[in-house]
């Protein structure tokens, strides 16, 4: 990549600074995407543009906020942000790739500039060197950052202290950390500084002074941090207070078993010969935490350590042995012989042993053995949660085998006998759905009604509402109740797949008065919290977060924004817009997804448009539109598929080795490239957005042609393969496409199809909302 291309990409950022400083930026500028492509190694010289949207005033009611003029410091930060705009794409590239060329580009920028622009560049270099564990280089550049400017001085000092400590110059690190909270009382590092200073002082053989630093911070927020607790234990150990140190290490390990500090605590306990002092309760707590976190090797070690405790009752040790075997099952290394050799008993341990044997029988497709084990469990362990697990797993197995009567039997037994279990709602729904598929409509109606009454908040209940409406409409000839169900779905789940289906059913029923059904009143529109799409002009933390984006310190952006105690109503959008400003639409989208899990249930008008533009972005729009037109595709379909496949991350490579925006496998990419007449194609070109969209739209067109233009079939094939879709079609007949989609046996594929159909509708609604000319409002 040439410096010219990097600088050209940077120039595009100058055009966005005014919008960012004004408060709201809903889309990246034209040049921004080019910079993002350069970051990911695109060979294209054509800059991608985000779809342009007409400027519209928000119709969302904003909370009143008292206006304050920005402080002199905030004004300086904002001026530094503008002045360092051309640094942003280079610093982002450095943070992402850290190649020699990226380092050289930012270093050249730093040498050419002075003041806060140079400080931001040196901070970017120091941060990157820290990531590469080149501590001496990091320290040198962070020292230059501190000398060049003071607006990000707390970052330069704190990160500089970490670098100096890593480089072995603890005296210099202590100079930077001493009095840190007094110098920077509003810094995000105030809670972290005491533990870091204590580590430095320990390295300087000043354990007593380290203890005083920790004692001074013990009543604040710092004390709850795992790093603080580790430092406290290390200080006690350095002072020769081993019993106290062991207690601190154990407390840290048990309270924060998944933290990095816990591994250090475990190592110190071993070194002190104290690992054996962990109580049975503490070891079990650790093992269970590892198991829940899917760290099955670690969990197995802890369970086996418990098995070796001879002082424990045999039954307790047997339980730990079976728990260790459960870890082996998850790791696919448990054999039938090992499972059969496990101790049998008439308690939960015995129930779990039989559950493991049942799973092994299922894995080897031994239906007789699977059925025999479940029948025995029903007799011996009729109230055990492990029986519930075995029933659910057995139901799933027979559903996939299309043996619906057996599947319904297992699901139904679970639903009736374990109504409070974790899989009860899913099992109940599946029993009802598979009864419907068999034409057992009375059974299905009863089960759907029970589902709606028992599990109103379960994910599956929206489907039960819809299919109960279908039964009212088609089997019971009761349109009034059908309309009531359909309207409940549209009201409570406006963007779900079943809301689309319900609206279609309602098109011919506009004259039907819905039945009064008190049970449906609980399905109401989601309550959307107050969301603001404008930000306080005087907010120093927000201004600082934007400047951090110019320096490539992305991981600190959300913490910096959240440091403002009044940011709750706008922090997610502010964070997302910073990411979007330098082309990372996927990171912006994830920030809002985390903050707005209710988005699919919210009306478009209930949320400011700026949020929707981030959640449903339209980068690469000109390429999407051109390639869609060439392949006779709806561009909204292509954008919706990209959103689901990659969240518009052009550099993503999945665990299945699918590449880029439209997640193409390399062999498929090569085949499509030949069809497009592309010579010398290489897999890395799939990370070029233009190339990926060009080939991906061709592939999508082929899937549509393969299935006679039916979008649902094509999407299922895109996700799971065309042979599977052909097999699923053969499992029909289906009364409509809604029945086919619900019958897709792979949950991931079914939800994928439903999500893309939802995305298409939402994209169109958002664009329509943005195209509406706002009414004139009073005021100046």
């Amino acid at each position: 990549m040439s410096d010219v291309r990097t600088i050209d990409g940077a120039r595009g950022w100058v055009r966005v600074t005014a919008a960012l400083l004004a408060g709201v930026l809903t889309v990246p500028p034209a040049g921004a995407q080019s910079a993002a492509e350069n970051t990911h190694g695109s060979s294209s010289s054509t800059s991608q543009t985000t779809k342009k949207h007409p400027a519209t005033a928000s119709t969302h009611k904003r909370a009143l906020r008292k206006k304050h003029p920005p402080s002199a410091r905030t004004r300086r930060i904002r001026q530094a942000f503008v002045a360092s705009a051309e640094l942003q794409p280079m610093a982002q590239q450095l943070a992402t790739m850290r190649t020699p060329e990226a380092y050289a580009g930012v270093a050249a920028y730093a040498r050419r500039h002075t003041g806060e622009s140079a400080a931001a560049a040196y901070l970017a270099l120091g941060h990157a060197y820290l990531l590469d564990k080149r501590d001496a280089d990091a320290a040198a550049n962070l020292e230059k950052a501190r000398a060049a400017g003071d607006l990000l001085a707390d970052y330069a000092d704190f990160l500089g202290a970490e670098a100096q400590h890593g480089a072995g110059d603890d005296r210099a690190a202590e100079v930077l950390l001493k009095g840190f909270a007094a110098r920077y009382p509003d810094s995000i590092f105030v809670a972290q500084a005491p533990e870091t200073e204590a580590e430095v002082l320990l390295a300087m053989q000043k354990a007593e002074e380290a203890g005083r630093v920790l004692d001074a911070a013990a009543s604040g927020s710092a004390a709850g941090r795992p790093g603080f607790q580790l430092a406290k234990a290390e200080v006690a150990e350095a002072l020769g207070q081993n019993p106290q140190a062991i207690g601190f290490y154990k407390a840290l390990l048990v309270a924060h078993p998944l933290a990095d500090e816990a591994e250090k605590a475990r190592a110190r306990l071993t070194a002190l010969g104290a690992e054996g002092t962990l109580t049975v309760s503490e070891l079990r707590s650790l093992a269970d935490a590892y198991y829940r976190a899917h760290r099955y090797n670690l969990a197995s070690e802890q369970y086996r350590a418990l098995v070796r405790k001879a002082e424990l009752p045999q039954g307790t040790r047997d339980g730990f042995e079976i728990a260790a075997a459960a870890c082996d099952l998850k790791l696919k290394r448990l054999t039938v012989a090992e499972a059969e050799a496990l101790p049998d008993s008439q308690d939960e341990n015995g129930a779990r042993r039989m559950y493991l044997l049942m799973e092994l029988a299922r894995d080897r497709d031994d239906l007789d053995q699977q059925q025999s084990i479940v029948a025995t469990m029903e007799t011996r362990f009729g109230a055990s949660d492990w029986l519930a697990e075995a029933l659910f797993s057995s139901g799933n197995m027979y559903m996939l085998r299309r043996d619906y009567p057996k599947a319904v039997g297992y699901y139904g037994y679970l639903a009736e006998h374990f109504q409070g279990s974790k899989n009860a709602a899913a099992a109940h729904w599946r029993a009802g759905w598979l009864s419907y598929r068999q034409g057992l409509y009375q059974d299905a109606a009863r089960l759907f009604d029970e589902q709606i009454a028992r599990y109103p908040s379960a994910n599956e209940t929206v489907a039960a509402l819809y299919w109960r409406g279908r039964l009212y409409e088609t089997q019971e000839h009761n349109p009034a109740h059908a309309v009531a169900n359909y309207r409940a779905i549209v009201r409570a789940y406006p963007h779900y797949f079943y809301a689309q289906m319900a609206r279609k059913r309602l098109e011919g029923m506009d004259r039907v008065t819905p039945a009064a059904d008190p049970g449906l009143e609980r399905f109401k529109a989601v309550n959307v919290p107050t969301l603001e799409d404008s930000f306080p002009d005087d907010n120093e933390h927000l201004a600082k977060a934007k400047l951090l984006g110019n320096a490539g310190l992305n991981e600190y952006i959300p913490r910096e924004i959240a440091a403002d105690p009044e940011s709750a109503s706008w922090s997610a959008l502010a964070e997302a817009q910073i990411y979007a400003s330098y082309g990372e639409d996927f990171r912006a989208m994830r920030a809002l997804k985390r903050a707005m899990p209710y988005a699919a249930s919210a009306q478009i008008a209930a949320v400011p448009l700026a949020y929707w533009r981030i959640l449903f972005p339209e980068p690469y729009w000109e390429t999407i539109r051109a390639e869609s037109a060439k392949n006779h595709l709806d561009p909204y379909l292509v954008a919706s598929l990209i959103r689901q496949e990659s969240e518009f991350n052009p550099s993503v490579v999945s665990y299945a080795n699918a590449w880029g925006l439209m997640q193409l496998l390399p062999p498929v990419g090569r085949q499509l490239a030949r069809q497009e007449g592309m010579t010398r194609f290489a897999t890395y070109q799939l990370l070029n957005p233009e190339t990926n969209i060009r080939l991906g739209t061709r592939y999508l067109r082929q899937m549509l042609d393969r299935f006679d233009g039916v979008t649902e079939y094509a999407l299922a094939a895109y996700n799971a393969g065309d042979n599977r879709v052909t097999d699923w079609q053969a499992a029909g007949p289906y009364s409509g496409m809604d029945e086919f989609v619900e019958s897709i046996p792979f949950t991931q594929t079914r939800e994928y199809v439903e999500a893309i159909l939802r995305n298409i509708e939402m994209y169109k609604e958002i664009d329509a909302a943005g195209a509406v000319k706002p009414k004139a409002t009073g005021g100046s």
Side-chain angles (χ1 to χ4, degrees):
M1 181 184 302
S2 68
D3 287 341
V4 173
R5 289 186 60 199
T6 302
I7 293 170
D8 285 345
R11 289 193 187 108
W13 294 100
V14 179
R15 296 193 292 273
V16 308
T17 55
L20 275 167
L21 292 178
V24 179
L25 175 66
T26 58
V27 294
Q33 198 61 63
S34 178
E37 287 176 10
N38 289 345
T39 298
H40 297 297
S42 169
S43 60
S44 169
S45 61
T46 303
S47 66
Q48 283 290 335
T49 58
T50 298
K51 183 176 180 180
K52 304 299 183 184
H53 300 290
T56 59
S58 173
T59 59
H60 185 77
K61 184 176 181 180
R62 298 175 184 169
L64 294 176
R65 182 192 297 120
K66 188 175 181 180
K67 295 285 186 178
H68 298 284
S71 67
R73 181 175 177 81
T74 301
R75 287 196 298 271
R76 288 183 59 217
I77 296 172
R78 292 164 69 173
Q79 290 164 359
F81 171 73
V82 174
S84 61
E86 289 193 4
L87 170 65
Q88 188 182 65
M90 291 184 282
Q92 290 296 330
Q93 180 181 352
L94 174 61
T96 302
M97 302 180 71
R98 301 199 297 283
T99 62
E101 294 80 8
Y103 275 108
V106 176
Y109 178 95
R111 290 191 297 269
R112 292 196 307 269
H113 292 77
T114 59
E116 298 297 344
S117 295
Y122 285 122
L123 185 63
L125 288 165
H127 171 249
Y129 281 127
L130 267 178
L131 294 175
D132 281 339
K133 302 189 184 304
R134 295 170 58 179
D135 295 311
D137 290 328
N141 280 278
L142 291 164
E143 186 175 350
K144 291 178 181 178
R146 184 65 181 85
D150 67 340
L151 296 178
L152 295 176
D154 58 327
Y155 284 83
D157 279 3
F158 184 80
L159 298 179
E162 289 190 329
Q164 297 285 14
H165 178 52
D169 191 347
D170 291 302
R171 193 174 302 277
E174 168 59 3
V175 169
L176 293 172
L177 290 169
K178 194 172 186 65
F180 185 91
R183 293 197 308 276
Y184 310 113
D186 294 327
S187 174
I188 66 170
F189 298 114
V190 165
Q192 193 174 348
E195 67 200 51
T196 305
E197 185 176 5
E199 292 286 347
V200 168
L201 290 168
L202 283 171
M204 297 171 68
Q205 308 299 314
K206 296 183 177 181
E208 290 185 355
E209 188 173 346
R212 287 194 291 272
V213 168
L214 295 176
D215 289 342
S219 61
S221 60
R225 293 176 49 83
F228 186 95
Q229 295 173 25
L230 178 64
K232 187 167 63 172
E234 290 172 337
V235 167
E237 185 179 354
L239 292 172
Q241 300 167 354
N242 283 2
Q244 285 181 280
I246 290 169
F248 291 148
Y249 284 132
K250 288 170 64 175
L252 167 59
L253 183 62
V254 173
H256 305 280
L258 305 180
D260 292 339
E261 292 84 356
E263 291 298 312
K264 297 178 183 178
R266 187 63 175 269
R268 293 311 307 153
L269 286 171
T270 301
L272 291 168
E275 191 169 2
T277 66
L278 286 165
T279 67
V280 171
S281 176
E282 289 167 340
L283 281 172
R284 177 160 195 170
S285 175
L286 275 178
D288 291 345
Y290 292 144
Y291 188 89
R292 288 191 298 269
H294 309 297
R295 299 185 182 182
Y296 298 118
N297 276 315
L298 286 173
S300 178
E301 290 177 13
Q302 305 314 309
Y303 288 131
R304 294 191 193 285
L306 287 162
V307 172
R308 292 191 293 272
K309 287 189 172 294
E311 70 274 17
L312 291 177
Q314 187 62 48
T316 302
R317 294 168 61 196
D318 290 348
F320 293 135
E321 184 177 357
I322 292 169
C327 296
D328 291 340
L329 179 71
K330 294 290 188 181
L331 295 166
K332 301 186 183 303
R333 64 189 187 196
L334 180 67
T335 67
V336 175
E338 289 169 339
E340 288 177 339
L342 292 170
D344 195 4
S345 57
Q346 194 62 32
D347 56 14
E348 284 297 283
N349 293 334
R352 192 175 193 180
R353 170 184 175 273
M354 295 207 72
Y355 167 74
L356 297 178
L357 287 166
M358 191 284 301
E359 288 291 357
L360 291 171
R362 178 182 172 181
D363 287 346
R364 65 180 185 272
D365 215 22
D366 188 339
L367 304 186
D368 291 339
Q369 185 70 359
Q370 171 271 326
Q371 292 175 34
S372 174
I373 291 172
V374 175
T376 301
M377 291 183 74
E378 290 175 1
T379 301
R380 290 183 58 189
F381 309 108
S384 171
D385 287 340
W386 293 111
L387 171 57
E389 292 286 334
L391 290 166
F392 193 67
S393 179
S394 297
N396 291 342
M397 178 182 72
Y398 285 105
M399 180 179 69
L400 292 173
R401 294 177 65 86
R402 296 179 192 151
D403 188 339
Y404 296 154
K406 278 194 173 64
V408 168
Y410 287 119
Y411 287 141
Y413 191 102
L414 190 162
E416 284 305 310
H417 292 83
F418 297 93
Q419 291 185 23
S421 68
K422 66 178 183 179
N423 293 316
H428 197 287
W429 156 248
R430 292 178 188 181
W433 174 244
L434 296 181
S435 296
Y436 181 97
R437 289 285 290 125
Q438 295 177 79
L440 303 174
Y441 298 128
Q442 288 186 346
D443 290 345
R446 173 182 56 80
L447 289 163
F448 293 158
D449 285 336
E450 292 174 355
Q451 180 83 22
I452 295 164
R454 291 181 187 175
Y455 310 108
S457 61
N459 292 333
E460 298 84 2
T461 299
V462 63
L465 280 167
Y466 177 80
W467 289 103
R468 186 63 182 101
R470 286 292 304 274
L471 286 174
Y472 279 132
E473 182 184 357
T474 60
Q475 298 298 316
E476 301 175 23
H477 308 294
N478 188 339
H481 275 91
V483 168
N485 275 40
Y486 296 152
R487 288 191 179 183
I489 296 168
V490 173
R491 179 175 63 246
Y493 312 99
H495 303 298
Y496 279 44
F497 168 75
Y498 278 116
Q500 296 179 27
M501 298 296 102
R503 280 190 286 269
K504 289 181 180 179
R505 307 300 301 185
L506 286 168
E507 286 174 0
M509 308 174 76
D510 52 315
R511 295 186 179 182
V512 177
T513 301
D517 186 341
L520 298 179
E521 293 177 2
R522 72 186 75 182
F523 298 101
K524 300 177 180 178
V526 66
N527 289 322
V528 176
T530 299
L531 299 172
E532 299 186 48
D533 58 356
S534 65
F535 311 130
D537 293 335
D538 59 334
N539 193 285
E540 181 177 324
H541 288 290
L542 177 56
K544 202 171 176 181
K546 293 175 181 178
L547 185 55
L548 289 171
N550 278 8
L553 273 69
N554 300 341
E555 64 265 43
Y556 300 109
I557 288 172
R559 289 174 60 189
E560 189 64 55
I561 295 172
D564 186 310
E566 298 180 356
S567 65
S569 63
W570 52 263
S571 59
L573 181 63
E575 177 190 349
Q577 288 185 343
I578 293 173
Y579 300 144
S581 74
Y582 48 81
E584 290 202 350
D585 298 279
F586 63 94
R587 194 186 302 274
M589 187 192 308
R590 289 172 189 168
L592 285 194
K593 279 184 174 181
R594 288 193 300 270
M596 300 173 61
Y598 52 82
S601 297
Q603 298 287 349
I604 297 297
V607 174
L609 197 58
Y611 288 79
W612 292 124
R613 294 295 191 204
I614 296 288
L615 284 167
F616 290 85
E618 295 173 340
Y620 317 108
W621 186 254
E622 291 307 315
T623 298
I624 289 172
R625 187 171 63 177
E627 296 299 330
S628 296
K630 187 173 75 176
N631 289 284
H632 307 290
L633 299 170
D634 178 355
Y636 286 110
L637 168 61
V638 176
S640 297
L641 184 144
I642 293 173
R643 185 184 187 275
Q644 202 63 25
E645 287 284 354
S646 65
E647 296 183 321
F648 289 95
N649 183 353
S651 65
V652 68
V653 179
S654 76
Y655 68 90
N657 200 35
W659 288 52
L661 290 171
M662 298 186 73
Q663 289 289 276
L664 298 172
L665 295 169
V668 175
R670 284 192 293 273
Q671 181 182 8
L672 294 166
R674 285 194 297 270
Q675 295 170 5
E676 283 283 309
M678 298 172 61
T679 58
R680 299 180 181 177
F681 174 80
T683 296
Y684 75 86
Q685 290 176 271
L686 292 174
L687 300 183
N688 178 320
E690 288 185 351
T691 300
N692 194 282
I693 294 170
R694 178 182 175 185
L695 300 180
T697 50
R698 185 182 186 93
Y699 184 61
L700 180 56
R701 179 71 260 168
Q702 290 175 359
M703 290 297 99
L704 281 162
D705 291 343
R706 168 76 174 77
F707 293 100
D708 300 321
V710 178
T711 301
E712 291 83 355
Y713 292 151
L715 292 175
Y718 198 103
N719 179 260
D722 53 354
N723 289 336
R724 286 198 176 100
V725 175
T726 300
D727 182 52
W728 297 337
Q729 286 177 310
Y734 304 103
S735 62
M737 192 50 62
D738 49 4
E739 189 169 342
F740 169 79
V741 171
E742 186 58 55
S743 297
I744 294 173
F746 294 174
T747 300
Q748 192 271 343
T749 300
R750 182 174 63 256
E751 292 178 349
Y752 171 90
V753 173
E754 292 178 355
I756 293 176
L757 296 174
R758 174 207 65 201
N759 292 350
I760 295 169
E761 180 179 87
M762 294 192 74
Y763 266 117
K764 292 180 178 180
E765 285 191 38
I766 292 164
D767 276 1
V772 174
K773 186 176 181 180
K775 296 179 180 179
T777 57
S780 57

